């Protein structure tokens, strides 16, 4: 709510139905530099709430010489993204002289929408301190006062799903070297390295000695894959920079390819179908195959991760 509300204040005899926050030695809050005070939790409408009081005004909103008062949803971490709670609430201030309550402003006429990214609503200028401190008003008696709240949940709804992309500020390079041996005896289409860790994920190198797809028989194909794609949720994605390298064991003129890819449960294998001509790979003048073995190195840099908003 804004600093002023056009809805008039009213006076009621009944105390607030849901919560009362009594403060003794109110003046000591400011003297002890307590700019913000949060009440204990209370339940209303199936949710837990708390009152948030700024005894000298909410300075983050440049409020001075007023009491600021807010209603806050407690523990938003348990809320799913997209879940919204529509609430009518009223704040109370006890008039100890007349034993009734100032309700101000009468917010019951306007719903407020609470959700994970907006969990606090209230009144920046609940009452001027000059009025609050006046003995004739009865709000502050013997340096003691009482605030309260009524909270009514009108409706709840889910607005659907969402995701959160986190780009890595300090990306870490992970390296893994694997030896594929007995190459002359390999007769399957594809061979996998043992799984290795990079980031919080398990990976494996996939070698297609005779190629994959349209280039079968002409080019060796080399890929990097998630070792357990089913462990990813359907909306999770990993953005990674991948370098795949077949080592030249004789002259160290290694053959490599480098690219950025998105990995997910449905797209868990990326690389090059045309990585190297098979004739070059098996040519003994090159050092890619020595003693019927080749060494493949994978470098993985996790650049970003997408997860579902929870």
């Amino acid at each position: 709510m804004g600093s002023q509300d056009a809805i008039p204040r009213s006076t009621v005899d009944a105390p607030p139905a849901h919560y009362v926050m009594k403060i003794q030695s109110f003046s000591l809050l400011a003297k002890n530099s307590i700019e913000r005070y949060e009440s204990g939790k209370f339940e209303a409408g199936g949710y837990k709430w708390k009152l948030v009081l700024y005894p000298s005004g909410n300075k983050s909103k440049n409020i001075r010489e007023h009491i600021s008062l807010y209603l806050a949803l407690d523990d938003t971490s348990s809320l799913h993204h997209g879940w919204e709670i529509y609430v009518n609430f009223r704040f109370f201030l006890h008039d100890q002289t007349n034993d009734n309550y100032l309700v101000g402003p009468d917010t019951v006429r306007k719903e407020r929408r609470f959700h994970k990214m907006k969990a606090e609503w209230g009144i920046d200028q609940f009452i001027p301190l000059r009025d609050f401190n006046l003995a004739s008003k009865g709000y502050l008696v013997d340096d003691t006062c009482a605030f309260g709240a009524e909270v009514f949940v009108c409706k709840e709804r889910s607005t659907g799903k969402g995701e959160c992309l986190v780009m890595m500020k300090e990306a870490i390079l992970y390296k893994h070297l694997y030896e594929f041996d007995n190459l002359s005896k390999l007769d399957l289409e594809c061979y996998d390295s043992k799984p290795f860790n990079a980031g919080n994920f398990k990976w494996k190198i996939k070698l297609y000695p005779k190629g994959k797809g349209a280039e079968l028989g002409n080019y060796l194909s080399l890929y990097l894959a998630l070792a357990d794609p089913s462990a990813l949720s359907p909306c999770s994605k990993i953005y990674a920079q991948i370098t795949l390298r077949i080592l030249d064991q004789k002259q160290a003129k290694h053959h490599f390819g480098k690219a950025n890819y998105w990995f997910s449960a449905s797209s868990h294998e990326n690389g090059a179908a045309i990585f190297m001509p098979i004739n070059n790979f098996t040519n003994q003048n090159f050092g890619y195959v020595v003693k019927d073995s080749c060494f493949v190195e994978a470098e993985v840099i996790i650049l970003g991760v997408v997860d579902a908003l929870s």
Side-chain angles (χ1 to χ4, degrees), residues 45-230:
Y47 296 91
K48 286 186 167 59
W49 309 87
K50 57 191 175 186
L51 290 176
V52 181
L53 175 80
Y54 292 81
S56 301
N58 187 348
K59 293 181 175 55
S60 67
K61 295 188 175 183
N62 295 314
I63 304 300
R64 302 283 190 275
E65 303 303 322
H66 284 77
I67 288 174
S68 302
L69 189 59
Y70 304 91
L71 176 71
L73 187 60
D74 186 61
D75 189 22
T76 57
S77 63
S78 62
L79 279 186
H80 292 296
H81 174 77
W83 190 253
E84 299 179 337
I85 308 155
Y86 289 79
V87 177
N88 280 329
F89 62 88
R90 300 196 295 173
F91 293 131
F92 289 66
L93 177 57
H94 190 204
D95 177 348
Q96 300 169 64
T97 303
N98 298 303
D99 194 25
N100 57 23
Y101 294 85
L102 176 73
V103 179
D106 192 355
T107 52
V108 77
R109 299 182 197 172
K110 191 166 186 179
E111 294 175 356
R112 293 299 181 189
R113 181 170 61 100
F114 288 79
H115 52 90
K116 195 157 191 167
M117 289 182 277
K118 176 62 174 174
E120 191 173 292
W121 283 98
I123 303 166
D124 297 335
Q125 298 181 5
F126 178 66
I127 187 170
L129 281 171
R130 66 177 180 273
D131 291 348
F132 177 77
N133 289 322
L134 273 178
S136 60
K137 296 282 189 181
Y139 303 132
L140 189 64
V141 176
D142 296 329
D143 208 18
T144 297
C145 59
F147 298 88
E150 289 184 345
V151 181
F152 300 99
V153 174
C154 308
K155 63 180 177 181
E156 303 154 282
R157 70 169 188 159
S158 175
T159 59
K161 298 178 179 179
E163 67 176 44
C164 178
L165 167 62
V166 179
M167 297 301 291
M168 305 301 170
K169 288 183 179 178
E170 297 179 4
I172 300 170
L173 171 65
Y174 299 89
K175 280 189 178 185
H176 183 72
L177 183 66
Y178 188 78
E179 180 183 8
F180 290 91
D181 53 12
N182 296 316
L183 290 174
S184 61
K185 298 174 183 176
L186 300 183
D187 54 4
L188 298 178
E189 179 196 8
C190 177
Y191 292 88
D192 294 351
S193 73
K194 290 181 179 178
F196 64 95
N197 291 318
N200 296 319
F201 309 98
K202 286 189 177 296
W203 308 82
K204 59 186 178 182
I205 300 166
K206 297 180 75 71
L207 174 70
Y208 296 80
K210 295 181 173 60
K212 180 185 181 185
E215 298 303 328
L216 193 65
N218 296 317
Y219 285 87
L220 174 145
S221 303
L222 194 59
Y223 288 79
L224 184 74
L226 287 165
D228 186 11
S230 62

